[in-house]
Amino acid sequence: KPYEKFKRIAQAVRIITKTCISLKSYISGGETKEWSLVEMQLNLQKDFNQSLYFNRDMFSKLRVTRGSEKLKKILAIPPTERTRDHIQVLLALLRHHKSFQDYPTHTQILLSQIMIYQNYEARRIVLKQGHRPFCFYIILSGTVLINVKEKDERTGKTFVRTVRELSGGDVFGETAMMSDSVRGTTVVCKDE
């Protein structure tokens, strides 16, 4: 039994060592210096998925919410062409999203009249720290990372730190709009 335990530990050490060596060679590239740890993990995961000989998503559980296709279809209609019935359906479909519920009814109606559907791929930057705001986002599905660029006081070098992760039902980008200031964070899609 002790020999089996030793073999398992040796196997784990070998895997960890190979992973560390791979990471070291991976981060030697120039563009990786601006990535947060979470972005690094996403990029590694993407590269890993591209090297697989099958599509992992074909074997994973679907995460489609009820009514999401209908919601996307209506939000794809230009706001100027939406009918009263479209607004009613949007209100019904969005009433379960926690962030949408926070707004008073008249605000929900106004949002339903002007909101549009946008889809972003993984690793896409949606908002950039320092830019002027022109809209805010309600996440219907997927996950985003909230990153902040900071400066190390000891070395003077800038680095990116992931401060939060948001998912379906959360809102982002509204703070800068309400205060009429520049974006305080960068928002990056973790997944589609």
Side-chain angles (χ1 to χ4, degrees), residues 1-16:
K1 209 161 197 179
Y3 178 70
E4 293 297 321
K5 190 174 185 180
F6 174 77
K7 280 177 55 178
R8 282 196 310 262
I9 291 171
Q11 178 72 15
V13 168
R14 190 172 355 151
I15 291 170
I16 291 169

Side-chain angles (χ1 to χ4, degrees), residues 71-103:
L71 182 63
K72 291 175 189 177
K73 186 177 177 182
I74 293 175
L75 289 174
I77 299 170
T80 55
E81 297 175 18
R82 283 193 199 138
T83 65
R84 174 169 280 181
D85 290 339
H86 291 138
I87 304 302
Q88 295 292 330
V89 173
L90 280 175
L91 290 169
L93 292 171
L94 289 169
R95 72 173 170 237
H96 298 297
H97 286 274
K98 59 185 175 184
S99 58
F100 198 72
Q101 294 171 345
D102 293 342
Y103 296 107

Side-chain angles (χ1 to χ4, degrees), residues 115-171:
M115 63 179 17
I116 59 171
Y117 176 75
Q118 294 179 330
N119 183 29
Y120 297 106
E121 66 277 0
R123 301 179 340 167
R124 167 82 185 270
I125 296 174
V126 180
L127 302 179
K128 189 115 173 149
Q129 186 173 348
H131 287 187
R132 301 286 313 162
F134 62 91
C135 64
F136 75 99
Y137 299 81
I138 299 174
I139 303 172
L140 298 178
S141 64
T143 310
V144 296
L145 304 172
I146 309 298
N147 295 334
V148 176
K149 192 178 265 190
E150 297 178 343
K151 193 171 198 172
D152 187 342
E153 294 178 13
R154 295 174 299 168
T155 63
K157 293 184 178 181
T158 59
F159 64 96
V160 177
R161 181 170 58 99
T162 299
V163 294
R164 195 160 176 216
E165 190 172 296
L166 301 176
S167 58
D170 290 326
V171 173

